[in-house]
Amino acid sequence: MEHITLLIGIVIVTALVFDFTNGFHDTANAMATTISTGALGPRVAVAMSAVLNLVGAFLSVEVAKTISGGIIDEGSGIQPEVIFAGLVGAILWNLVTWLAGLPSSSSHALFGGLIGATVVSVGLDGVNGDAIVMKVLIPAVAAPIVAGIATLAATRLTYRLGRDRSPEDTAKGYRAGQIASAALVSLAHGTNDAQKTMGVITLALVTGGVVAPDSDPPLWVIVSAGLAIALGTYLGGWRIIRTMGKGITDIQPPQGFAAQTGAATVILASSHIGFALSTTQVCSGAVMGAGVGRKGAVVRWSTAGRMVVAWVLTLPAAGLVAGAAALLADQGNAGITAVAVLAVLACGAIWMLSRRKPVDHTNVNEVGIQEPVGAVTAALRSVAPPPAGAASAAPEDGTSDDTPEQTPTPIPAVASSTTR
Amino acid sequence: MSIDWAALGQVFGISLAVTVAMVGVFTLGIVGSSRKAAPEQGGTAAAMPGGAVGASPLARTGAYACFAVCAAVVAYGIYLIVA
C-alpha cells in the first residue's frame, strides 16, 4: 500500500468514520429493547453487540463487490471525490438523526449520499432510478410492515399462551430468549454493514490503482472496518436506544422477546431470499408491532411519526449534503480540503449540541422529557389521536422499572418549539 | 420496472410463519417449565431452567424439547449469516 494518494487516504478515513457512525447508530437495533426490558445491563449489552459486530465483520466470505448494489453506475468514471462527498453526506445525516434520537437507516444515508454526489458530478445518467425504487423505496415501506405484523401476531400469541403464568416467573426465560435473538441481529449487522465499508474502501483503492480490480479487500481493510463498526457500537447511540427501547412504547420482557425474534427472523429471511430489508426499519417496525400486540400498551405514534419522517428525509437530505460537497470537491484539492474542514466543523457542532443534554448508559432508560412537538407530528396526532385512556399501562409491571411512567398527556401542540 | 412481488411475498410469509412459530414454541417452553400462577404469592420465583417448582416431569421434558428446537433454529440462523 505504498501508492496511496492523499485523496484515497482521505476517502479511507472518511469511510471508516462512516462505519463508526453506522455502528453507534445501529446499536439500538439489536440492543434497545434488550436494555429496556432489563435482559442485559446497558454496558454489557453494547459490549456484547460490539464483539458480535466485530466477529460478523470477519465471518462473511461474500465481499461487497458493489457499494451501492447497482443504484449508481459505478463503471462510469466514479471518482474518489464522488465517494468522499457521498460519505460526508451520509455521515452528517447520521449525526443529525442521532442528535434527534431517531433511528434511520445508515444504508439509506449512504445510498442517498452517493446518489447526490453522483448526480452533481456525473449527471442523472449515473443513477439507476429503477434500482432506487427496488432497493430503497419498496424495502423502506415493506420492512416495518412485515416486521410489525409478524411481531404483532407473535406478541398476541405469547401473551395468550402464557396468560396463566405470572410475569415474575416468565420474565427470566423471555430475557434469555431475547438475548439470543439480539445476538443474531448484531451478528447479521456486522456481516452486512461492515461489508459495505469494506466495499467502499476497496473501490477507492481500485480507482487509485492500489489493488487490482475485482480483488478482495486486503486484510487491513477488513480489520479496520470491523474495528470501526465495533467501536461505534460499543460507544452506543444512547439517544436512539432510548427512543427505540422506551420512546415508542414501554416494552415488557415478552414483547421484547417477540420484537427481537421477529426482527432477527425478518432480517435473516429477507437477506437469504435476496430482498434485503433495512435493519433499522425492521427493528423499529417490530417494536411498534410489539406495542400494538400487548393489551393496554401505549404506542406513542407521535414518536413513530417523527421516525417515519426521518426515514422519508434520509435519502434526499443525505443526497443534498453530498451534492453540495461534490460541487465543492470537484474544484480540486482546495475544494476537497474545504469539504473536509466543513465536515469536521459540522460534526463538532453536532457533538457540542449533544452535550447540552447528554444521554448515556446511566439515563438511557429514563423517559420523561417533554418532546418538542413539530408541525408534522402535531398534524399526525390530530389525525390519529393516541389512546389516552390506556395511560396506566400494565400496573402489575414485573420488571424493575423504577422510571416514572410518562403518561401521554396531550402536549399542547405549539408548533416546533425547539427546547432541546 | 419490475417489482419482485414474489420475493416480497415470500419474505412476508416466511417471516410471519417463523416468527410466530419460534415465539410460540419458546413460550410453550416457558409455560412448561414454570408453574401455574398460584393465588398465593411468594415462593420460589426461579422459573427456569432447573428450579421449576410445580411443573410435572412431562411438562418439563416438553419444555426442554421446545428450548432445543429454538436452539436449533438459532444455530440455523448463524449458519445463514456465515454462509
Side-chain angles (χ1 to χ4, degrees):
Chain A
M1 47 167 155
E2 45 263 69
H3 295 301
I4 294 178
T5 62
L6 182 64
L7 178 58
I8 304 275
I10 291 177
V11 170
I12 291 170
V13 171
T14 319
L16 290 176
V17 171
F18 170 75
D19 206 21
F20 175 82
T21 64
N22 189 343
F24 81 73
H25 216 271
D26 291 359
T27 320
N29 292 333
M31 290 305 167
T33 58
T34 317
I35 291 169
S36 66
T37 60
L40 287 173
R43 290 186 127 160
V44 179
V46 292
M48 179 179 131
S49 186
V51 169
L52 288 168
N53 266 288
L54 184 60
V55 171
F58 286 94
L59 269 186
S60 178
V61 286
E62 177 160 359
V63 174
K65 297 279 188 208
T66 64
I67 51 175
S68 68
I71 288 176
I72 58 172
D73 186 1
E74 287 161 15
S76 71
I78 180 164
Q79 297 297 310
E81 291 92 331
V82 176
I83 304 176
F84 172 59
L87 286 168
V88 167
I91 290 170
L92 288 181
W93 181 249
N94 266 353
L95 287 178
V96 167
T97 48
W98 163 72
L99 184 66
L102 294 174
S104 66
S105 169
S106 299
S107 316
H108 288 183
L110 180 61
F111 291 161
L114 289 170
I115 291 169
T118 306
V119 167
V120 169
S121 297
V122 182
L124 275 172
D125 299 342
V127 178
N128 186 347
D130 279 10
I132 296 179
V133 174
M134 270 309 289
K135 303 239 175 195
V136 180
L137 295 187
I138 291 180
V141 176
I145 298 174
V146 172
I149 292 177
T151 305
L152 168 63
T155 308
R156 287 254 162 89
L157 178 72
T158 195
Y159 272 105
R160 180 151 188 79
L161 287 177
R163 66 188 179 281
D164 57 355
R165 292 291 184 274
S166 69
E168 295 82 24
D169 280 358
T170 56
K172 208 174 162 192
Y174 279 122
R175 287 180 183 144
Q178 190 184 4
I179 293 171
S181 302
L184 275 184
V185 174
S186 290
L187 201 60
H189 183 261
T191 343
N192 287 330
D193 284 29
Q195 290 288 317
K196 248 173 253 153
T197 305
M198 291 178 212
V200 171
I201 297 178
T202 308
L203 189 74
L205 291 174
V206 168
T207 56
V210 181
V211 297
D214 294 330
S215 59
D216 286 348
L219 182 65
W220 64 267
V221 173
I222 301 176
V223 172
S224 53
L227 284 177
I229 203 165
L231 184 66
T233 307
Y234 181 67
L235 286 183
W238 299 110
R239 292 164 179 274
I240 301 173
I241 291 175
R242 171 143 85 179
T243 302
M244 273 181 85
K246 287 275 175 189
I248 300 174
T249 184
D250 292 304
I251 295 278
Q252 315 242 315
Q255 292 172 290
F257 169 67
Q260 213 57 263
T261 305
T265 308
V266 173
I267 290 164
L268 289 181
S270 67
S271 63
H272 189 59
I273 293 170
F275 198 95
L277 298 177
S278 165
T279 311
T280 305
Q281 277 140 9
V282 166
C283 292
S284 313
V287 171
M288 290 182 218
V292 175
R294 174 166 71 89
K295 272 188 198 141
V298 175
V299 178
R300 294 184 194 95
W301 292 111
S302 62
T303 307
R306 288 197 302 150
M307 258 164 49
V308 171
V309 170
W311 294 347
V312 172
L313 285 180
T314 295
L315 205 71
L320 275 178
V321 177
L327 210 58
L328 256 177
D330 277 346
Q331 311 301 319
N333 284 337
I336 292 169
T337 314
V339 171
V341 169
L342 285 176
V344 169
L345 285 178
C347 293
I350 293 171
W351 171 252
M352 293 299 286
L353 281 175
S354 80
R355 297 314 296 166
R356 278 205 212 152
K357 211 176 253 180
V359 179
D360 60 18
H361 63 92
T362 56
N363 61 354
V364 65
N365 276 348
E366 289 167 20
V367 173
I369 5 121
Q370 292 274 334
E371 293 172 351
V373 181
V376 179
T377 52
L380 202 130
R381 181 174 297 171
S382 64
V383 174
S392 60
E396 73 285 3
D397 189 347
T399 59
S400 58
D401 200 345
D402 49 0
T403 55
E405 176 81 32
Q406 189 205 23
T407 48
T409 42
I411 306 158
V414 181
S416 67
S417 55
T418 47
T419 50
R420 263 171 203 280
Chain B
M1 181 182 331
S2 60
I3 296 169
D4 199 349
W5 291 112
L8 184 57
Q10 248 182 318
V11 169
F12 182 71
I14 291 175
S15 300
L16 186 64
V18 173
T19 305
V20 170
M22 275 293 285
V23 171
V25 169
F26 193 85
T27 309
L28 285 179
I30 287 180
V31 168
S33 63
S34 64
R35 69 213 162 89
K36 262 196 166 176
E40 76 273 4
Q41 283 295 346
T44 49
M48 64 161 286
V53 182
S56 70
L58 183 67
R60 218 179 306 168
T61 313
Y64 288 139
C66 289
F67 290 136
V69 169
C70 292
V73 176
V74 169
Y76 181 65
I78 293 174
Y79 165 76
L80 281 185
I81 294 173
V82 176

